[in-house]
Amino acid sequence: MTATAPREEQLWSRCAGCATLLYRKRLRRNLDVCPECGAHARLSAPDRLRQLVDPGSFRPLPDPPADVDPIGFVDVVPYPHRLTAARAGTGLGEAVVCGTATLGGHPAALAVMDFRFLGGSLGCAVGELITRAAERALDDRVPLILVTASGGARMQEGVLSLMQMATVSQAVAALREAGLLTVSVLTDPTYGGVAASFATNTDVVVAESGARMGFAGPRVIRQVTGRALPEGFQTADFLLRHGQVDMVVPRRALRARLVALLAAARGGRTPAPGPGDPAAPAARRPVPRQQPAGAGRDTAPADATDGDPWATVRLARHPGRPTTLDYLDSAFDGFVELHGDRLGGDCPAVVGGLARLDGRPVMVIGHQKGHTTAELVARNFGMASPAGHRKALRLMRLAARWGLPVVTLVDTPGADPGVGAEEQGQAAAIAESILALTVLPTPVVAVITGEGGSGGALALAVADRVLMLAHAVYSVISPEGCAAILWPDRSAAPQAARALRLTAPDLHRLGVVDEIVPEPPGAAHDDPEATAAAVRDAVRANLLPLLDVPPATLVRRRRQRFRRFGAARAAAGGVR
Ligand SMILES: [Zn+2]
């Protein structure tokens, strides 16, 4: 919908989404988003920069590279003629605009691609400019933001344009090693060599609403497969569902979201949130007290367990018990959820992302159950798939790279035991998560908030400090599963619960748990707010002393902590 020349078309433009004729000034005021259908029109790089950075803060990088026509490419017209025409048509020197700026006061280096310039194609000069932007970020020790819009590599520069994928990726890797945040913002369209390199190998991948991204374009795929493509194929929402992007953000919220990411990666200096900023810390809303059907109080005694582990099991499973998202809402601030394992999935049973604990940025990762049957089903009852474990792994590594502590909230009956999970390598996914935690060079505090079910729980619980809510349980197997194997039938679950030593006091005595977090009178579901406050206080108290420990010492102690269990148990002969 790039309207050109005649006067009437400068006053009016037609929405590419719904064909409504829109008054141009009104459209501009709305950030080039159609007020009728919400379609996001493509932006030029200068317009994009105006929308994203603090006014007057942009400084373009000096010395644009000299003209390149490395292979003397000619189709119907020589390549230099096409370059000249693109320059005249856009007023730009190349298909990317690079420089430094501030966003909400946070400095960053930016490279913003412009699709109008030869389809935003990646040639040698574009690769060189983006690489320089990355090098500038490294020199200044600031984050790098890449806004992509491209059909792919520039064919007029042959295999040399292909090499730019590697060149820019190396520059991104250098920022990664330096612990500097890299963010790509996928805008419509992002395809080919750009999609297959720096658009997706950054720390955080944000897709603008409606953006499409893929390696092969839809036309090519239709030709190859001879089939119609599914509805919404390669759109931002499709990418989110398949674990390829962290978030889909509408244009009006994009700047605020980037500011929140920059703030988190920088050490938590909180910028002033803009109005309507979805990442702004919302006023704490009380955690709703859930009384789901079938969860009447008589199913679990509200005030006491009378020391009966089976009663504790039922409290730990109570559907009104606060979930990870409840804690994120009440014990933490400014949660920015990150999605996807980058391998094809986004497991709903694991949630994670950046948040603040008393103003300090942390990475929070936890199992997510739900309060109602519908929520529980949608979250697979908090049973993580391999994609969930790989998402957790990705977030742990991001946290380590950024120097953020990790807080995990454990509440799962166990890892997803389905056929699909097996096919996708559930065992290996858990194993890799556990291994990664043993060497993670950043503080890790785990809280068993509800059910700590076997390997699925341990995948998030190899930590420097392991806390446990008073009525949570943590066990190698469910009491029912244990009863089915060792007793005549599942009805022996209460006996199994007693035998398994799965309560907080038992595990504290065993040294598996470092601290028991008290629950309000009754249990957590009777006062979710008080529970959240207790969790917040306990995490803070346990995290603070870890922050000054050198990473190597931290890792050594963590490994010692988990190594000692075998020996301790042999010497003490178990509990008591
Ligand atoms: Zn429209």
Side-chain angles (χ1 to χ4, degrees), residues 296-314:
R297 284 170 191 254
D298 51 337
T299 57
D303 51 350
T305 60
D306 285 330
D308 177 11
W310 181 241
T312 307
V313 169
R314 289 190 293 160

Side-chain angles (χ1 to χ4, degrees), residues 1 14-22 27 33-40:
M1 67 174 286
R14 195 173 289 283
C15 171
C18 65
T20 304
L21 205 55
L22 297 161
L27 189 59
V33 175
C34 174
E36 302 299 323
C37 73
H40 286 50

Side-chain angles (χ1 to χ4, degrees), residues 60-123:
L61 290 190
D63 309 315
D67 278 2
V68 214
D69 180 12
I71 58 172
F73 190 90
V74 179
D75 49 293
V76 288
V77 289
Y79 172 43
H81 293 200
R82 290 197 188 276
L83 275 178
T84 306
R87 283 176 184 150
T90 59
L92 301 178
E94 255 300 346
V96 67
V97 177
C98 298
T100 57
T102 58
L103 287 82
H106 302 291
L110 294 102
V112 179
M113 303 185 83
D114 195 314
F115 193 77
R116 299 172 305 156
F117 195 109
L118 298 178
S121 53
L122 172 64

Side-chain angles (χ1 to χ4, degrees), residues 137-217:
L138 189 61
D139 287 345
D140 294 357
R141 301 206 59 82
V142 298
L144 174 69
I145 297 171
L146 303 171
V147 183
T148 62
S150 175
R154 188 173 294 176
M155 56 196 144
Q156 291 93 340
E157 295 183 20
V159 74
L160 291 171
S161 61
L162 202 64
M163 297 301 112
Q164 302 308 312
M165 292 166 66
T167 309
V168 178
S169 293
Q170 271 178 32
V172 169
L175 292 171
R176 194 180 267 216
E177 283 159 16
L180 294 167
L181 170 71
T182 56
V183 182
S184 54
V185 178
L186 309 181
T187 75
D188 194 59
T190 295
Y191 278 94
V194 170
S197 59
F198 53 86
T200 52
N201 63 19
T202 48
D203 292 336
V204 176
V205 182
V206 176
E208 185 175 56
S209 293
R212 291 164 303 154
M213 187 276 282
F215 183 58

